[in-house]
């Protein structure tokens, strides 16, 4: 069975600075997808970024980028130029490319606070 | 925003009572999911559906049942609520079981006293 681990329950960053959130996963599969979701205090789950395992190039979305290390099974999220609105819970998630119903397997989450 | 609604948004109920949560989508997506969110656990899959009347269990399915009689509706039932089922419940939808993202509903906070 696949597992996802986020080892940082809480992180803090100064506004305008850069922060990296860590995520590791365990799988025996070679084809899968990885996601970072953001959950602000409103509780809404918002997709931040997605990475296909077959792609070597790291995904980027504006100020958000990932460092995908397939061999190390690591998938970290870098937030550049942090803004107050980035304060939220961040979840890393794994999705198999096999026909397993497309379910997401989540990490425990990292709560990010942004200091003005 | 994906058209997903959940009802009710908040509910307080007593131990032993049945509870049904509803997820409604307007996107005509084939796949629908129920997750629960608890501190320290992230989100965990309860049940999912891959079509009308087609459902399967997830990681934490004990004490829960689901039904999907129409594409747009996915119901989660707690037959006899227990305090351990106090949680926030999220519905999600997806076009496919591959790399497309899942879109989440706003969540339902359920408290079992």
């Amino acid at each position: 069975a696949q597992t996802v681990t986020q080892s940082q329950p809480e992180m803090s960053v100064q506004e305008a600075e850069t922060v990296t959130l860590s995520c590791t996963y365990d799988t025996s599969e070679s084809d899968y997808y990885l996601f970072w979701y953001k959950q602000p205090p409103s509780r809404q789950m918002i997709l931040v970024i997605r990475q296909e395992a077959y792609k070597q190039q790291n995904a980027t979305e504006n100020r958000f980028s990932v460092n995908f290390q397939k061999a190390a099974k690591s998938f970290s999220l870098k937030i550049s130029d942090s803004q107050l609105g980035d304060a939220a819970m961040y979840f890393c998630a794994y999705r198999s490319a096999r026909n397993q119903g497309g379910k997401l397997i989540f990490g425990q989450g990292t709560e990010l606070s942004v200091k003005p | 925003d994906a058209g997903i609604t959940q009802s009710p948004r908040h509910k307080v109920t007593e131990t032993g009572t049945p509870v049904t949560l509803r997820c409604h989508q307007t996107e005509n997506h084939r796949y629908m999911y129920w997750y629960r969110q608890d501190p320290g656990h992230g989100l965990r899959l309860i049940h999912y559906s891959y079509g009308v009347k087609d459902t399967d269990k997830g990681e934490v399915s004990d004490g829960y049942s689901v039904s999907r009689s129409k594409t747009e509706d996915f119901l989660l039932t707690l037959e006899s609520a227990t305090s351990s089922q106090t949680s926030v419940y999220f519905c999600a939808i997806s076009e496919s079981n591959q790399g497309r993202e899942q879109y989440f509903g706003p969540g339902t906070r359920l408290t079992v006293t």
Side-chain angles (χ1 to χ4, degrees):
Chain A
Q2 299 89 7
T3 59
V4 177
T5 301
Q6 294 177 249
S7 59
Q8 306 155 315
E10 299 175 348
M11 291 283 285
S12 180
V13 64
Q14 204 72 31
E15 194 176 9
E17 298 294 310
T18 296
V19 65
T20 298
L21 308 184
S22 300
C23 173
T24 58
Y25 58 95
D26 188 27
T27 184
S28 59
E29 299 175 340
S30 60
D31 198 12
Y32 49 86
Y33 305 89
L34 297 166
F35 304 84
W36 278 98
Y37 278 87
K38 171 185 177 182
Q39 186 181 43
S42 67
R43 213 164 61 196
Q44 182 68 49
M45 294 288 287
I46 303 164
L47 179 68
V48 175
I49 201 164
R50 181 182 77 178
Q51 175 79 43
E52 293 89 342
Y54 63 85
K55 289 187 177 179
Q56 292 188 339
Q57 186 173 6
N58 289 324
T60 62
E61 287 287 341
N62 301 313
R63 298 183 295 107
F64 298 87
S65 61
V66 298
N67 183 6
F68 173 48
Q69 301 289 328
K70 191 172 184 179
K73 297 180 183 175
S74 171
F75 183 60
S76 60
L77 175 69
K78 186 172 81 171
I79 306 174
S80 303
D81 185 27
S82 296
Q83 301 174 0
L84 295 178
D86 295 334
M89 183 74 83
Y90 287 83
F91 291 99
C92 177
Y94 171 102
R95 193 178 196 186
S96 172
R98 295 182 182 179
N99 186 14
Q100 296 182 0
K103 60 188 177 184
L104 287 171
I105 300 169
F106 286 87
Q108 303 90 329
T110 296
E111 182 147 21
L112 177 67
S113 59
V114 181
K115 298 178 180 178
Chain B
D1 290 344
I4 311 170
T5 57
Q6 292 185 230
S7 58
R9 294 291 312 280
H10 303 270
K11 185 170 183 67
V12 179
T13 192
E14 293 183 348
T15 298
T17 59
V19 177
T20 295
L21 308 183
R22 180 183 184 232
C23 177
H24 179 77
Q25 61 147 327
T26 58
E27 306 295 324
N28 201 36
H29 284 356
R30 177 183 175 188
Y31 292 84
M32 298 186 75
Y33 307 85
W34 278 108
Y35 294 90
R36 60 176 288 175
Q37 181 178 13
D38 304 289
H41 290 280
L43 281 76
R44 292 178 292 175
L45 182 68
I46 304 172
H47 282 281
Y48 69 97
S49 170
Y50 48 97
V52 174
K53 295 190 181 350
D54 293 323
T55 64
D56 205 351
K57 295 180 179 180
E59 179 187 359
V60 290
S61 60
D62 286 349
Y64 302 95
S65 63
V66 290
S67 66
R68 191 170 178 198
S69 58
K70 298 184 291 184
T71 298
E72 57 266 35
D73 289 326
F74 192 33
L75 303 180
L76 177 70
T77 298
L78 291 66
E79 300 291 346
S80 177
T82 67
S83 58
S84 65
Q85 293 175 312
T86 292
S87 186
V88 179
Y89 291 84
F90 285 95
C91 174
I93 65 173
S94 181
E95 279 186 88
S96 79
N97 63 343
Q98 297 301 311
R100 295 290 186 104
E101 70 175 283
Q102 289 185 13
Y103 299 93
F104 285 81
T108 293
R109 180 175 293 280
L110 176 68
T111 303
V112 183
T113 61

